[in-house]
Amino acid sequence: MVLAAVRSVASLLLGAGILILGNSLLGILLPVRLGVEDVPPAVTGLVMSAYYAGLVAGSLRGKTVITRVGHIRAFAAFAALLCAATLSHALWFGPAPWAALRFVSGFCMAALFATIESWLNERSGNEARGQVLSLYQWTAYLATGLGQLLVNLADVRALELYIVAALLLSLSLLPVVLTRVQGPDLSGIKPLSLKELYRISPLGVAGCFGAGIMSGGFYGMGPIYGQEIGLTVLQISLFMGAAILGGLILQWPIGRLSDRFDRRTILLLVLILTGAAFGVMYFFSAAGVDSMAFLLGMPVLFGGAMSTIYPIAVSHAFDYVSRERMVAASSGLLLAWAVGSTIGPVATSLLMNWFGSPMLFLFLAVMTAMLAVFARYRMSRRAALPASEQATFVPLTPTGDVAGSLDPRQEKGANFGHAPRVSAAGG
């Protein structure tokens, strides 16, 4: 029985890794191709934001389809639609059709993540849930980073890269649909409204929303920035991959600090570090510095710091959410992130179009500074929780809205300090 569960989890993680690998390849291929075709950055931003709009819609409606037809059929249907959308990019080039296809891709990815994460939750015992979630997050980081590098396999104008992405997405079907366990019922997993979440933890919601703006802005328009300063496709993939590597490196040490001290203080320091790194990128970029050592070192710093904002914000919100509502809160916080991610590429692309490519980093620096000011304001409004009463930090990447079911913090028997308290004042 235990061996069967291990095999199921391994198969699901393999399927998730292949799925993210193909999706990551497509995510860097499209903005690079748009840049090669001299599509204005503002238009590229709209195309890239459509993916995150699809994630929002998929988070809200995707589980309805899964509940209606079952996990295996839903996964197969969404994966087939995603493969078709991926190949269609090669058939119909243009911002309008690509924006529509990106929306479809985002919707499908939200539903696919929901399917995989709910299955992982089903196959993970309470004592192993934390380890499974950690393996899932490491898989997501590694697959995302490797997907950036796959763009170097062929010319971005050729068909090969679209075919490779579609092949990977279709191959993700095999280990998942062959899983023999029945998926859990998702009909009861409904996100807390953003209004209620904000009442419980204003900083938690604002942190996830701000993290979405930064993530969507950088990962959506970072490849365009690289093209505009004259980087090759290989250099662009290394530039983007360095930011993902930074996230992999800094999650644990910063997370441990957030458990030992006032989480808001750590979040504030992370925001200051991130904003300063973005500011340095802006000034050096405006001065025309394009050294590869600089362009690989700085993304490790700001990418690593930026990647911890979302999990720290979630952990902070969980400090004030009762255990039985953590899954719903996780879904709502992901929705706040997805809304911010939809805004990020549009805002950054407009500024880049009007004032030049360095504005990408000035905008991100300003957004980070505004969030830091809000964090400092919230610290003045409420006393810090003792470290013993804080929910333990868990490294998270924004994947699907069912990942909260895997989070060991929502287990009543888990040893995570005192039960989190709900407060109208919030944190």
Side-chain angles (χ1 to χ4, degrees), residues 3 5 15 17 20 24 37 49 78 91 110 112 143 154 178 216 256 258-259 270 276 321 343-344 362 367 376 404:
L3 181 59
I20 295 170
S24 177
E37 301 294 345
S49 69
F78 284 121
L91 296 177
L112 291 169
L178 294 178
R256 291 295 298 272
S258 76
D259 285 339
V270 166
V321 175
I343 296 171
L362 181 59
M367 290 296 101
R376 184 64 187 88

Side-chain angles (χ1 to χ4, degrees), residues 18-185:
I18 298 172
L19 177 70
I20 295 170
L21 190 64
N23 190 56
S24 177
L25 168 58
L26 191 64
I28 190 173
L29 170 60
L30 299 184
V32 171
R33 172 69 188 281
L34 289 168
V36 167
E37 301 294 345
D38 294 323
V39 174
V43 177
T44 300
L46 289 171
V47 173
M48 300 311 293
S49 69
Y51 173 81
Y52 298 104
L55 277 179
V56 174
S59 297
L60 295 174
R61 304 299 301 171
K63 292 191 292 292
T64 302
V65 179
I66 298 172
T67 303
R68 184 180 304 161
V69 303
H71 279 59
I72 292 179
R73 290 180 179 177
F75 190 92
F78 284 121
L81 181 57
L82 180 60
C83 290
T86 299
L87 291 173
S88 296
H89 286 91
L91 296 177
W92 295 294
F93 176 79
W98 275 25
L101 291 171
R102 289 305 283 161
F103 180 88
V104 171
S105 297
F107 189 99
C108 291
M109 286 300 295
L112 291 169
F113 280 135
T115 306
I116 289 176
E117 289 167 3
S118 60
W119 257 328
L120 283 172
N121 180 57
E122 179 73 11
R123 300 307 286 167
S124 305
N126 291 346
E127 69 284 353
R129 186 162 280 120
Q131 291 89 332
V132 170
L133 180 61
S134 294
L135 286 172
Y136 181 47
Q137 299 305 319
W138 275 86
T139 300
Y141 267 109
L142 291 174
T144 302
L146 290 174
Q148 305 290 307
L149 299 178
L150 290 180
V151 74
N152 298 286
L153 292 177
D155 189 290
V156 296
R157 286 193 175 98
L159 296 176
E160 285 85 350
L161 290 177
Y162 302 94
I163 295 173
V164 170
L167 281 173
L168 290 169
L169 295 171
S170 61
L171 286 174
S172 69
L173 272 163
L174 295 179
V176 176
V177 299
L178 294 178
T179 301
R180 289 184 288 183
V181 65
Q182 179 68 31
D185 180 19

Side-chain angles (χ1 to χ4, degrees), residues 237-321:
S237 66
L238 293 174
F239 173 69
M240 301 301 294
I244 298 167
L245 175 64
L248 195 61
I249 294 172
L250 293 185
Q251 285 271 337
W252 283 108
I254 292 180
R256 291 295 298 272
L257 287 174
S258 76
D259 285 339
R260 296 185 61 185
F261 304 100
D262 177 13
R263 207 182 306 279
R264 297 171 303 177
T265 300
I266 300 303
L267 177 58
L268 179 60
L269 293 175
V270 166
L271 290 169
I272 293 172
L273 174 62
T274 307
F278 281 139
V280 169
M281 278 295 300
Y282 167 71
F283 285 113
F284 277 80
S285 177
V289 175
D290 57 1
S291 159
M292 278 311 297
F294 176 77
L295 292 176
L296 292 180
M298 288 304 296
V300 172
L301 181 59
F302 68 69
M306 178 176 65
S307 72
T308 66
I309 296 172
Y310 176 78
I312 292 176
V314 171
S315 296
H316 175 68
F318 278 11
D319 290 343
Y320 298 92
V321 175

Side-chain angles (χ1 to χ4, degrees), residues 187-204:
S187 58
I189 301 179
K190 301 183 184 299
L192 289 173
S193 69
L194 291 181
K195 181 179 180 180
E196 185 175 3
L197 270 174
Y198 187 82
R199 179 187 63 82
I200 295 172
S201 178
L203 183 55

